Amino acid sequence: MNVRAFSLLAFAGLTFAVFAQSTPSSSDSKPAVVAELFTSEGCSSCPPADALLVQMDGKTYAGAPIIVLSEHVDYWNHDGWRDPFSSEQWTQRQNDYNLRFRLDSVYTPQMVIDGSQQVNGSNGGQIGHAIETAAAQPGKLQITIADASWNNDVLHATVSVSDPSPQAAKGTTLYAVLADDQDTSNVAKGENSGRTLTHVSVVRVLQKVSSLHGPYSGPVEIKLPHGVNRSKMRLIVFAQKGQNGQIFGAAQREV
């Protein structure tokens, strides 16, 4: 069975083997691809996409590691259930993408691949094709994260970025994300009432680190938001162009 067909069957409830390929050798490996899922616990169409993101998490496809982000929007909160991970900030980020994509309106579940392609977050075939396209893009940056540690409720790390090409450097900003490794909710009301939902890489903080004009090495400090429990989390760093939203490189590590 070919890879594209397997990805289409994934949505039918089969194991998401399309993203479970063996890790390529170092000579064949490519920079990571970022998959952002805009989702909500108040949306009945979102649980399949959430489950798909769990299957994608930590996998490699088309020679590229996949870094996933779960960004919970807040515009479903009026339908009986307030998503505990939702934020207006993620709704605004989705709106910014939709302006670039020239869509008539926002929707969930929506997945954005490397900031440059948007697909239905439940469609394994579309997702696989978009990741394959993103993995083939040249000129990505090498990003590394070192010395990540907590000091009370502040995360400290050192981030390094390789010398970017003129195309990658122009108008590109380095961002840092603090995300829950995994969360589970027992939804009591709304469209998903009675369901237990599992999410991975749930974004809690997204902040600017620095504009990029050349190679970069410097500190990152992220304060844990009030009310967020510091258990197992992830630090994700990515470089994104402001003009068109394209992501030119990313890295992650557990903290």
Side-chain angles (χ1 to χ4, degrees), residues 4 40 62 85 87 89-90 101 105 146 155 163 199 232 246:
R4 190 67 52 79
S40 171
F85 311 110
S87 170
Q89 184 178 0
W90 318 138
F101 297 135
S105 62
L155 177 64
D163 191 5
H199 315 289
K232 188 177 180 182
Q246 183 178 356

Side-chain angles (χ1 to χ4, degrees), residues 100-116:
R100 295 188 181 106
F101 297 135
R102 299 181 179 180
L103 301 181
D104 292 335
S105 62
V106 295
Y107 70 94
T108 54
Q110 180 187 39
M111 192 173 291
V112 177
I113 306 298
D114 261 359
S116 58

Side-chain angles (χ1 to χ4, degrees), residues 40-118:
S40 171
E41 291 187 346
C43 165
S44 61
S45 299
C46 287
D50 296 326
L52 206 52
L53 201 72
V54 172
Q55 294 292 330
M56 292 168 60
D57 187 25
K59 302 302 191 300
T60 297
Y61 181 64
I66 304 170
I67 294 178
V68 303
L69 296 172
S70 182
E71 299 169 51
H72 291 234
V73 298
D74 67 349
Y75 52 81
W76 281 97
N77 287 350
H78 61 82
D79 278 1
W81 177 254
R82 185 189 182 281
D83 187 327
F85 311 110
S86 64
S87 170
E88 182 182 1
Q89 184 178 0
W90 318 138
T91 299
Q92 184 58 55
R93 182 167 174 82
Q94 186 186 29
N95 281 327
D96 291 343
Y97 273 134
N98 279 17
L99 287 174
R100 295 188 181 106
F101 297 135
R102 299 181 179 180
L103 301 181
D104 292 335
S105 62
V106 295
Y107 70 94
T108 54
Q110 180 187 39
M111 192 173 291
V112 177
I113 306 298
D114 261 359
S116 58
Q117 303 170 81
Q118 72 86 28

Side-chain angles (χ1 to χ4, degrees), residues 124-232:
Q126 291 182 359
I127 294 168
H129 178 72
I131 292 176
E132 187 176 9
T133 300
Q137 295 300 309
K140 285 197 171 183
L141 307 174
Q142 183 67 40
I143 300 175
T144 57
I145 304 171
D147 306 322
S149 62
W150 289 97
N151 182 1
N152 295 321
D153 286 337
V154 180
L155 177 64
H156 297 265
T158 301
V159 175
S160 299
V161 183
S162 63
D163 191 5
S165 66
Q167 178 192 13
K170 186 177 181 181
T172 299
T173 300
L174 192 66
Y175 293 93
V177 169
L178 187 62
D180 293 343
D181 189 60
Q182 182 172 302
D183 289 304
T184 301
S185 283
N186 296 313
V187 181
K189 298 179 181 180
E191 292 189 0
N192 290 313
S193 179
R195 302 187 68 165
T196 298
L197 304 179
T198 298
H199 315 289
V200 291
S201 197
V202 179
V203 178
R204 296 298 202 161
V205 178
L206 188 157
Q207 67 184 44
K208 178 179 176 180
V209 176
S210 176
S211 298
L212 293 180
H213 305 286
Y216 175 86
S217 181
V220 171
E221 294 186 4
I222 303 180
K223 182 175 176 57
L224 192 72
H226 179 72
V228 175
N229 180 37
R230 194 192 93 193
S231 53
K232 188 177 180 182

